[in-house]
Amino acid sequence: MDAMWDWNITDGKVEWFGDIDTMLGYDTGEFPRTIEAWKKAIHPDDHDRVLAAVDQHLHAQTPYIEEYRVVLKNSGLRYWTDRGIALRDGGGAAIRMIGACTDITERKQSEKTLKESEEKYHALLDHAVDGIIISDLEGTFLEANQKMVELLGLSREELLGMKFTDIHPKEELERVMGVFQAMVERKAYSCNDTRVLRKDGRIVPVDITGTLIEYAGKKVMQGIFRDITERKQAEETLRKIYDELEFRVQERTVQLSEAYKALQREMEERKRAEDRLRQTQKMKAIGTLAGGIAHDFNNILAGIMGFTEMVMDDTDPASPEYRRLELALKGAHRGRDLVRQILTFSRQAEYEQKPVALGDIVEEGLKLMRPLLPATTQIRSTLPSGGDTVMADPAQMHQVLMNLCTNGIQAMGKRGGVLEISVAREHVRKDGRTTASGMRPGDYATLTVRDTGCGMGPETVERIFDPFFTTKAHGEGTGLGLSVVHGIVKSHGGFIRVESEPGKGSSFSIYLPRIERHEAAADEESSATGGRECILFVDDEDLLVELNNERLSQLGYDVVGTTSSLEALKVFRKEPWRFNLVITDYTMPDMTGVELARRLLQARSDIPIILCTGYNDDISPEKAKKAGIREFLLKPQSKRELDQAIRRILDGKTE
């Protein structure tokens, strides 16, 4: 929609030509025809910028064209583009200003959708297992994913603008360019068993497939580069084995027998590798099962905790019954913590590094491990009171701790021993001696796991981080634990030091760069405060609807509860301005919590929403925030935790 305007600067009146009332959500002729009314309609965050641009045009005769938001009569928002020019008297003073405004909200939404689509496309590219290059039809690189960056040892910035001819050895150019041209003509091509040149000069064998695709509105080539180094090495190994066997057959029958025995050993190793793979798949299935049960179990715990709290509110704190209820609630809390610990180890979500206290990770991990330890194993732990914050993924740090402790327990065997776990701080000086190769000066938090087991010699220490290397008997270990530890620590920018002697046990020390962590001042009350607002509560579990209806009503809230997402939407649409907040479960029939939130926000864009879930891989705090949801809570919550979340939102304390 468009509207023309004519502003008489001397008296402040504005003549509008077009559907300005509809553009601002007013009835025909309702919007005031004054410059002050227009200024008031400008969004507060854009107000000063727009008026400054108008003033600059009036005094400096600079072009006036601005994009800004306007606030509709019903408090909704729209985007406008505004253009204008001043009419001046003989002395050059502006006496009138005329112009036109255009509603560009749909364009803005389209731009946002396009941006989200591009971000999703780039995310898919960067999670591909093969290198991917997008180039124009002249062979110039327009885009590259992270795997391609790693394959060539170049940064993304270095790759963009290069050509196919820049990444291949000279002897490969004629073949590659010939196939590339064939691709342009035939829309697809493959170039197997060729080579690319890394930045460090190393040659990497690859298979390449290419396809013509649409990208940014034009025809481009998508090339997929698969690193076949391992395959080539395997082929070379098999070729050598074949040549050796052939030679031995020709020489002596006895040597053929030895070759046959070597082949048997190889088959046994392959069988062990298959057993390891099956074990890995089994553990993954267990993790999936744990996540599946968590949702229902957390709903059960929510009911137990909620109704126990309500009974405690009506019980004399000095009575024996109150103490028994406290113990029951404590047990429910332990059950909730146990579920969250299990989910930490079994989750399938992407890893996310964030500031965490290393000591807290160890303390939480030990709670889960203690019941599983042999009676012959004694654990000693030393944890700091602070200053051990690092950028890390909690689940991966749990895995590091679990793998190191498991390795120590297995090293001590049936006779047992002492497993010492400590977290400390260490400063590496610039002129001092570093603990590990490549370690830079600075502050580190260290995790050390020390056992009193059999220990290792130097030749074993050199190989302990190799995948599938193990000193244990068949069936006692996969040889993957320490390899996984090494990979996780390196991905966190950390270092590992190993100290061991035969018969004297082993010590593994993990060094992670330490960061400063500024704790936010606690601004939440220790007890629930309640309020008088109206809350719409939605959960397909009638037990939880009844529970929260009662306990939120006790806190003073006006609660409307329902077990149907469709019914909730109907109730909200009937009286959208009645409600101050909506609390909804994620997993529900007919409509998920996220879909319900989307439709509620369509009906009223400023309604605050809290999303609750027992456990689900499909939703995360980040995804919920993108959907317009204010807060993301894991079930079960206590009455105090839920009320604090409600007050944070209703009192405007969230980001």
Side-chain angles (χ1 to χ4, degrees):
M1 291 183 287
D2 297 281
M4 301 287 291
W5 50 267
D6 183 350
W7 170 30
N8 189 325
I9 298 175
T10 58
D11 60 14
K13 293 183 179 180
V14 181
E15 290 293 333
W16 292 94
F17 307 98
D19 207 358
I20 186 63
D21 298 291
T22 302
M23 290 174 68
L24 288 171
Y26 289 85
D27 294 332
T28 301
E30 184 182 1
F31 180 67
R33 266 52 176 177
T34 66
I35 191 63
E36 294 303 322
W38 170 73
K39 292 179 181 179
K40 187 176 180 181
I42 301 173
H43 190 279
D45 292 344
D46 299 337
H47 186 273
D48 292 346
R49 172 176 58 82
V50 174
L51 295 189
V54 172
D55 186 66
Q56 185 177 13
H57 175 71
L58 294 177
H59 292 88
Q61 299 187 14
T62 56
Y64 168 68
I65 177 168
E66 288 291 321
E67 284 189 7
Y68 57 90
R69 293 165 290 175
V70 292
V71 181
L72 307 185
K73 180 182 178 182
N74 64 357
S75 299
L77 295 179
R78 303 290 290 182
Y79 285 87
W80 280 11
T81 291
D82 203 0
R83 302 166 298 278
I85 186 170
L87 303 179
R88 305 176 186 275
D89 60 18
I95 56 174
R96 295 174 66 188
M97 190 171 176
I98 61 173
C101 54
T102 302
D103 189 318
I104 59 169
T105 305
E106 285 71 23
R107 192 197 79 192
K108 284 287 189 179
Q109 292 172 342
S110 298
E111 291 173 352
K112 179 181 178 184
T113 301
L114 178 61
K115 182 179 178 182
E116 291 174 349
S117 176
E118 289 177 348
E119 289 175 350
K120 181 178 180 181
Y121 176 72
H122 284 290
L124 291 173
L125 278 182
D126 280 338
H127 285 82
V129 297
D130 295 322
I132 299 177
I133 280 283
I134 304 296
S135 77
D136 61 22
L137 300 187
E138 301 299 322
T140 301
F141 297 156
L142 305 175
E143 187 55 87
N145 72 343
Q146 182 60 30
K147 191 67 178 180
M148 197 68 192
V149 167
E150 296 169 0
L151 179 66
L152 295 176
L154 295 165
S155 67
R156 192 186 301 266
E157 291 73 19
E158 289 175 314
L159 267 175
L160 301 186
M162 295 176 65
K163 290 181 173 291
F164 269 106
T165 52
D166 298 327
I167 66 170
H168 291 281
K170 292 181 179 180
E171 56 271 22
E172 298 282 350
L173 293 181
E174 183 177 354
R175 177 189 178 204
V176 170
M177 295 311 297
V179 176
F180 180 85
Q181 186 59 37
M183 177 278 298
V184 173
E185 298 172 357
R186 303 172 191 170
K187 299 184 179 180
Y189 83 96
S190 63
C191 187
N192 294 331
D193 201 2
T194 186
R195 298 178 297 165
V196 292
L197 182 64
R198 285 177 51 86
K199 183 178 181 179
D200 58 14
R202 184 162 60 89
I203 299 293
V204 181
V206 294
D207 282 348
I208 309 175
T209 56
T211 308
L212 278 177
I213 63 171
E214 287 282 346
Y215 179 79
K218 61 182 179 181
K219 293 284 186 180
V220 295
M221 187 277 288
Q222 174 182 273
I224 301 176
F225 291 67
R226 172 160 295 179
D227 187 340
I228 59 171
T229 302
E230 293 184 1
R231 190 187 81 191
K232 297 289 289 183
Q233 292 172 344
E235 291 173 352
E236 180 63 18
T237 300
L238 290 175
R239 186 188 63 79
K240 289 179 179 179
I241 292 174
Y242 176 80
D243 291 344
E244 183 67 17
L245 287 175
E246 185 178 39
F247 172 77
R248 291 185 179 186
V249 167
Q250 293 173 353
E251 285 291 319
R252 288 188 296 264
T253 305
V254 175
Q255 291 184 341
L256 177 61
S257 175
E258 291 298 321
Y260 176 71
K261 293 177 182 178
L263 184 59
Q264 281 185 316
R265 289 194 296 270
E266 183 182 347
M267 295 301 294
E268 289 172 358
E269 178 60 30
R270 183 176 298 177
K271 184 178 182 303
R272 285 194 291 270
E274 292 173 352
D275 291 341
R276 297 183 195 114
L277 178 60
R278 281 194 291 270
Q279 180 68 12
T280 301
Q281 292 172 335
K282 186 187 300 181
M283 293 304 295
K284 183 178 180 181
I286 292 173
T288 303
L289 178 62
I293 336 178
H295 177 269
D296 291 337
F297 193 60
N298 277 333
N299 278 340
I300 295 171
L301 285 175
I304 294 173
M305 290 170 57
F307 284 113
T308 301
E309 287 177 334
M310 292 175 62
V311 175
M312 289 176 68
D313 290 341
D314 298 331
T315 305
D316 182 3
S319 67
E321 289 78 10
Y322 190 87
R323 175 58 180 163
R324 292 165 187 156
L325 289 170
E326 278 187 324
L327 294 175
L329 187 60
K330 182 178 180 181
H333 283 158
R334 289 183 62 187
R336 177 186 66 180
D337 294 341
L338 180 60
V339 170
R340 290 180 179 176
Q341 289 170 8
I342 292 172
L343 291 178
T344 297
F345 289 101
S346 65
R347 72 177 187 175
Q348 302 298 317
E350 295 179 359
Y351 294 116
E352 175 190 6
Q353 294 186 12
K354 58 185 179 182
V356 293
L358 201 54
D360 292 347
I361 295 291
V362 172
E363 187 175 8
E364 184 180 349
L366 290 181
K367 288 179 184 177
L368 189 61
M369 287 182 56
R370 287 185 190 276
L372 307 177
L373 293 176
T376 55
T377 299
Q378 178 184 357
I379 282 191
R380 297 174 185 169
S381 60
T382 304
L383 305 178
S385 58
D388 59 336
T389 302
V390 297
M391 284 295 294
D393 179 86
Q396 288 192 316
M397 288 299 103
H398 274 293
Q399 188 169 5
V400 167
L401 176 66
M402 180 68 78
N403 288 5
L404 290 179
C405 291
T406 301
N407 185 75
I409 293 168
Q410 291 176 344
M412 293 185 289
K414 295 181 179 179
R415 64 183 180 88
V418 178
L419 191 66
E420 296 183 9
I421 304 168
S422 63
V423 174
R425 301 180 293 271
E426 183 168 328
H427 178 74
V428 177
R429 298 171 55 184
K430 188 173 183 181
D431 55 350
R433 198 172 162 190
T434 57
T435 300
S437 175
M439 195 171 179
R440 295 185 295 273
D443 294 322
Y444 290 86
T446 64
L447 164 63
T448 301
V449 177
R450 183 178 291 106
D451 65 71
T452 58
C454 58
M456 301 174 288
E459 66 285 350
T460 303
V461 172
E462 289 183 2
R463 296 192 60 196
I464 53 174
F465 296 119
D466 293 347
F468 299 115
F469 173 77
T470 179
T471 59
K472 303 176 182 66
H474 176 57
E476 295 183 0
T478 64
L480 285 172
L482 293 179
S483 174
V484 169
V485 169
H486 183 268
I488 292 175
V489 173
K490 289 299 181 185
S491 71
H492 283 70
F495 304 89
I496 305 178
R497 181 180 67 184
V498 183
E499 296 175 310
S500 184
E501 290 184 39
K504 295 186 178 181
S506 302
S507 173
F508 289 80
S509 295
I510 307 300
Y511 291 78
L512 297 173
R514 189 162 63 89
I515 63 173
E516 293 297 328
R517 185 174 188 178
H518 303 286
E519 299 292 344
D523 59 356
E524 296 179 348
E525 297 294 334
S526 59
S527 60
T529 57
R532 299 298 177 188
E533 292 86 353
C534 183
I535 298 175
L536 175 60
F537 188 91
V538 191
D539 197 302
D540 62 329
E541 291 282 346
D542 53 359
L543 176 70
L544 298 186
V545 173
E546 180 181 350
L547 164 66
N548 286 283
N549 203 335
E550 285 193 45
R551 66 180 182 180
L552 292 178
S553 296
Q554 287 181 353
L555 290 170
Y557 296 109
D558 179 13
V559 184
V560 177
T562 176
T563 58
S564 167
S565 54
L566 295 177
E567 177 65 20
L569 183 61
K570 181 179 178 182
V571 169
F572 185 85
R573 284 175 171 172
K574 186 177 181 180
E575 296 181 278
W577 297 103
R578 173 187 177 187
F579 300 99
N580 302 99
L581 176 69
V582 177
I583 304 175
T584 177
D585 186 28
Y586 175 75
T587 305
M588 294 186 293
D590 300 321
M591 193 187 311
T592 68
V594 172
E595 177 62 20
L596 174 60
R598 186 181 68 81
R599 298 194 183 187
L600 293 175
L601 289 168
Q602 287 176 346
R604 183 180 147 197
S605 61
D606 65 337
I607 183 69
I609 300 172
I610 296 177
L611 182 70
C612 302
T613 180
Y615 171 77
N616 198 295
D617 267 344
D618 296 332
I619 190 64
S620 66
E622 292 74 20
K623 292 180 180 178
K625 188 174 182 180
K626 287 183 179 179
I629 293 166
R630 298 283 183 87
E631 189 137 356
F632 179 86
L633 298 179
L634 286 177
K635 295 180 182 178
Q637 316 97 20
S638 67
K639 180 169 68 174
R640 179 180 62 83
E641 290 169 339
L642 182 58
D643 183 59
Q644 286 178 346
I646 293 172
R647 294 305 340 149
R648 278 196 302 271
I649 291 178
L650 294 180
D651 296 340
K653 295 182 180 179
T654 57
E655 294 183 359

